[in-house]
């Protein structure tokens, strides 16, 4: 039998490691993990606070170069985007400008093969659908960011257009998504 140097408990000789029993080692490990998590949470909170401060000053000055991308995206996510010409129960106070966002997506060789296979044998192409969905979401994210940079809180009359470009190499494709709309401030 051996005695734990930390808690004084008598345990098997094989249970002692570094003079401590398994329970004390686990307690120490859990405490270290908790300290690490708390330190990370504090760092993230400080970054968020710095990002919010940078965002506030950027909205006043119009210079968004110091705003972290994550903060910019978080702020832009609150912007309303609709295909309707206006937003019911929220009258437009000011029309700011027409804005647009573009996303070009290149398909790699393997995705091109998967699409060609589905094209030849019929059926829905999950690969193409996923790429188009991701491109649309990225395009709308960019449109919201553009609206935020102009000081808008909504984008109305949004139009989404899709195009396909044939690449220089036979069989290579690029898909292009464009979103346009009118950036407005709601009353």
């Amino acid at each position: 039998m051996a005695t734990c140097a930390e808690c004084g408990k008598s345990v098997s000789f094989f249970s002692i490691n570094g003079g401590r029993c398994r329970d004390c080692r686990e307690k120490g490990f859990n405490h270290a993990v908790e300290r690490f998590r708390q330190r990370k949470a504090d760092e993230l909170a400080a970054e968020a606070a710095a990002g919010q401060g940078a965002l506030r000053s950027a909205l006043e000055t119009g210079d968004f170069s110091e705003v972290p991308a994550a903060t910019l995206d978080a702020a832009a996510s609150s912007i309303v985007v609709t295909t309707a010409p206006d937003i019911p129960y929220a009258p437009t106070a000011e029309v700011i400008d027409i804005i647009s966002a573009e996303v070009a997506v290149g398909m790699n060789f393997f995705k091109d093969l998967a699409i060609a296979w589905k094209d030849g044998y019929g059926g829905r192409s999950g690969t193409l659908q996923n790429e188009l969905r991701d491109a649309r979401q990225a395009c709308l994210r960019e449109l919201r960011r553009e609206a935020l940079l102009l000081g808008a809180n909504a984008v109305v009359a949004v139009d989404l257009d899709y195009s396909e470009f044939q690449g220089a190499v036979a069989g290579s494709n690029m898909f292009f998504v464009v979103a346009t709309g009118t950036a407005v401030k709601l009353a």
Side-chain angles (χ1 to χ4, degrees), residues 6 43 69 80 127 132 184:
E6 195 167 315
E43 288 173 10
V80 177
T127 302
L132 288 172
V184 299

Side-chain angles (χ1 to χ4, degrees), residues 97-101 142-144 146-148 150 154-155 179-183:
D97 202 358
I98 296 171
I99 59 174
S100 70
E142 288 295 320
L143 193 68
R144 284 184 171 95
E146 288 290 323
L148 178 69
L150 292 174
V155 182
T180 57
T182 304

Side-chain angles (χ1 to χ4, degrees), residues 86-163:
D86 59 2
I87 298 174
Y89 311 110
T92 300
E94 177 186 356
V95 173
I96 298 174
D97 202 358
I98 296 171
I99 59 174
S100 70
E102 304 81 19
V103 173
V105 178
M107 301 297 281
N108 66 35
F109 176 74
F110 297 106
K111 289 181 182 178
D112 280 342
L113 282 177
I115 291 169
W117 177 267
K118 284 291 186 180
D119 189 32
Y121 290 97
R124 292 173 61 172
S125 172
T127 302
L128 184 56
Q129 287 175 323
N130 290 337
E131 288 295 326
L132 288 172
R133 182 182 316 109
D134 292 346
R136 176 179 46 83
Q137 290 170 347
C139 199
L140 291 175
R141 223 177 4 258
E142 288 295 320
L143 193 68
R144 284 184 171 95
R145 187 182 278 188
E146 288 290 323
L148 178 69
L149 296 176
L150 292 174
N153 58 6
V155 182
V156 297
V158 173
D159 179 44
L160 288 165
D161 292 310
Y162 298 84
S163 295

